[in-house]
Amino acid sequence: MAMHSSSEKIDVPGEHTQTGTYLLEKATATIQNFAPLKNIHQHLCAFHFYADDMTRQVEAHHYCGHLNEEMRQCLIYDGPDADSKLIGVEYIVTENIFMTLPDEEKPMWHSHAYEVKSGVLFMPGMPAAVQHMDLEKVAKTYGKTIHFWQVEKGDVLPLGIPQIMMALTRDGQLYRNLATEVENRYGVSFEDERVKRVDMKGPDHGLHPLANAAGKGLKTVLRETDCKPVGSVPRAFV
């Protein structure tokens, strides 16, 4: 079985960061504005699995910011440390927005109700009252996640085709040893959290039947096709 947690460090090939590079980064950090990154306001820890293979489970640390009340966007790392790998992105929308998506789009989005209510999605270090308040909202949302780096395979670079990821939807899916490692590292109990969240509700209209890959497997594939030449661009866009 394949899995990855932030306790398993992958050594990326290349020379160690040199002093000149470090100083340059300090200079640019002082001068430039990183407004999109400054909008990140929360850290969520959860688990993803590949949409075509539930045995490939990955610990996923989400660093999220709101675009508005109904949409957040998250950078996903394989851990919470400074040298953690950026492995993917997730977009999170309310049920209201999800329902407006075309039916062919909906299967690529997963629900968060089980993740939240079961306790396996949590906010490391956050006071219980604050966490409860926000996760009540998350439980009603849907997310679209793409991973670029297959760290659970031990890849030292982001190789292969970006893949659609899914989230847990019922008991018995998450590997117990992966769950236990995360619980021990953060001093949390998913079962205790489950009890505390018994009052939380999922989407108002129930889980949409087309979400969560409509209960089937999804796999991103690459195929060769004709590349439209510049001359084919409509004149209005030139």
Side-chain angles (χ1 to χ4, degrees):
M1 66 188 161
M3 64 188 72
H4 175 78
S5 74
S6 62
S7 64
E8 302 170 10
K9 292 299 180 182
I10 294 175
D11 291 326
V12 177
E15 297 181 17
H16 291 294
T17 304
Q18 298 180 358
T19 302
T21 302
Y22 174 79
L23 293 175
L24 178 61
E25 289 178 341
K26 286 295 184 182
T28 56
T30 301
I31 297 170
Q32 293 184 308
N33 179 11
F34 301 95
L37 297 181
K38 290 177 181 177
N39 189 44
I40 290 175
H41 62 270
Q42 65 182 185
H43 172 200
L44 304 174
C45 181
F47 304 91
H48 292 153
F49 63 84
Y50 287 76
D52 68 322
D53 189 351
M54 193 177 293
T55 69
R56 298 177 63 189
Q57 301 181 3
V58 185
E59 180 182 339
H61 291 261
H62 305 56
Y63 292 86
C64 308
H66 278 85
L67 286 178
N68 56 45
E69 189 63 27
E70 296 198 66
M71 183 175 185
R72 337 180 177 202
Q73 54 187 5
C74 310
L75 298 174
I76 301 175
Y77 290 81
D78 68 340
D81 306 313
D83 62 347
S84 294
K85 315 302 181 293
L86 175 62
I87 61 174
V89 297
E90 178 165 357
Y91 303 100
I92 299 175
V93 299
T94 61
E95 179 184 22
N96 179 51
I97 289 182
F98 174 80
M99 296 297 285
T100 69
L101 298 176
D103 282 352
E104 62 269 23
E105 171 72 18
K106 288 185 175 77
M108 291 185 281
W109 295 71
H110 58 264
S111 59
H112 291 127
Y114 173 80
E115 282 190 293
V116 173
K117 295 176 68 174
S118 68
V120 300
L121 189 157
F122 65 102
M123 302 170 69
M126 186 59 62
V130 177
Q131 180 171 218
H132 196 95
M133 186 182 304
D134 189 62
L135 293 185
E136 279 186 316
K137 298 179 181 179
V138 177
K140 295 176 175 292
T141 63
Y142 291 88
K144 182 178 184 179
T145 301
I146 300 171
H147 279 200
F148 311 109
W149 197 329
Q150 301 181 56
V151 290
E152 89 294 339
K153 289 174 54 180
D155 286 356
V156 297
L157 290 170
L159 307 176
I161 305 170
Q163 294 291 333
I164 295 289
M165 308 295 286
M166 289 292 152
L168 306 169
T169 57
R170 62 179 182 272
D171 291 345
Q173 292 177 331
L174 179 62
Y175 286 129
R176 185 62 250 175
N177 54 339
L178 184 56
T180 299
E181 181 185 339
V182 171
E183 288 178 303
N184 291 341
R185 192 181 332 126
Y186 288 98
V188 300
S189 165
F190 295 156
E191 283 304 316
D192 288 350
E193 288 299 321
R194 182 195 293 259
V195 173
K196 295 175 183 176
R197 302 176 188 183
V198 69
D199 62 314
M200 293 187 182
K201 307 296 183 183
D204 293 333
H205 296 91
L207 298 183
H208 196 284
L210 291 180
N212 303 306
K216 301 176 182 178
L218 291 180
K219 185 177 180 63
T220 309
V221 296
L222 184 69
R223 70 166 184 245
E224 187 176 307
T225 186
D226 291 333
C227 181
K228 294 181 179 179
V230 173
S232 67
V233 177
R235 187 174 299 276
F237 294 97
V238 176

